[in-house]
Amino acid sequence: MSIPSRTALIDHLVRTRIAGDVATPRENNLDHYRKLATGDRRYWFGLEFGDRWTDEQDVLAVMAERCGVSDDLSHRAGQDTIDPELTVAALDRMAAVLRKAAAGRQRVLFATGHPGGLLDVHRATAAALRAAGCEIVVIPDGLTADEGYVFQFADVAVFERGATLWHTHSPAPMAAILDGLAREGRPLPDLVVADHGWAGCAAQRGLDAVGYADSNDPALFLAEAEGTLQVAVPLDDHVLSPRFYDPLTAYLLGAAGLAAPRA
């Protein structure tokens, strides 16, 4: 599809609620920030925060800065937001990382814990990098995690259980991939493009990683603030139609020089 301008993309993000007034309610956002701050590792996404983020208000401040949620701690329920300007700015930062990967013909691993929303974003990005000369990492066979299986679909690592692709925040599937590569004596990826615990685990292990994250998933934004993760792109990661992400993907690839520039 054609590459949207920055203004057109921002309008699209707001219209489709990928950003702007998103569906994730304020009370859900604050609940997740509180659980991360109180040490619930289900919300750490495989990252190690120690005692650095034990104040919910500190977490909220980072989310307001990097995601665009309201910074008013007294706002406890109702509508919350993702700033579309921050979404596009993060896409530009991710594009710079992808451009570097293409220039260096890097080994790149793609993975998603949100196959219902982001699978095709990752698939299209993988195809563009392969066309630019990158190696898309093929994961080992027979990997298991969290009582399910880890395999690749359209160049993207996913988690499967009961013949169904699962939505998962767990870092365990990414850990299984990286450990499997090491067992086989194969090199680790130069870059990981992912989301949820897949991105968090890779970043925590010291790999260059970028990822997408929703307003109720603070871990990746904290990791970006600390410099552990290179880029966290704020967006609603499961909107009404996965096709709504197509203009976002086109903009990203165009900014990375992986698609024909807009006329």
Side-chain angles (χ1 to χ4, degrees), residues 49-164:
F49 294 120
D51 59 359
R52 297 188 299 279
W53 299 101
T54 57
D55 187 328
E56 174 190 352
Q57 192 161 359
D58 290 341
V59 177
L60 176 61
V62 171
M63 294 303 292
E65 176 188 13
R66 294 181 178 269
C67 186
V69 302
S70 170
D71 62 0
D72 182 2
L73 197 58
S74 68
H75 175 39
R76 308 301 300 179
Q79 184 65 57
D80 212 341
T81 60
I82 292 174
D83 185 342
E85 294 279 358
L86 293 178
T87 302
V88 178
L91 288 172
D92 288 337
R93 297 196 302 276
M94 182 182 282
V97 174
L98 298 180
R99 184 185 292 272
K100 178 182 176 182
R105 299 197 171 188
Q106 294 180 351
R107 296 182 303 277
V108 187
L109 172 64
F110 288 84
T112 185
H114 232 305
L118 299 179
L119 178 61
D120 208 42
V121 176
H122 290 301
R123 178 208 60 77
T125 308
L129 282 177
R130 174 181 280 113
C134 288
E135 174 189 345
I136 305 305
V137 174
V138 176
I139 70 171
D141 289 329
L143 298 179
T144 61
D146 294 335
E147 301 180 346
Y149 297 92
V150 185
F151 71 100
Q152 243 166 340
F153 181 75
D155 285 330
V156 185
V158 291
F159 178 69
E160 184 266 349
R161 187 190 292 168
T164 301

Side-chain angles (χ1 to χ4, degrees), residues 187-232:
L188 294 178
D190 299 310
L191 175 66
V192 173
V193 182
D195 47 69
H196 289 174
W198 306 76
C201 175
Q204 184 61 43
R205 292 200 181 194
L207 299 176
D208 286 347
V210 296
Y212 301 94
D214 210 329
S215 60
N216 62 352
D217 294 332
L220 296 189
F221 296 103
L222 299 181
E224 183 187 30
E226 292 190 333
T228 307
L229 184 81
Q230 289 191 325
V231 181

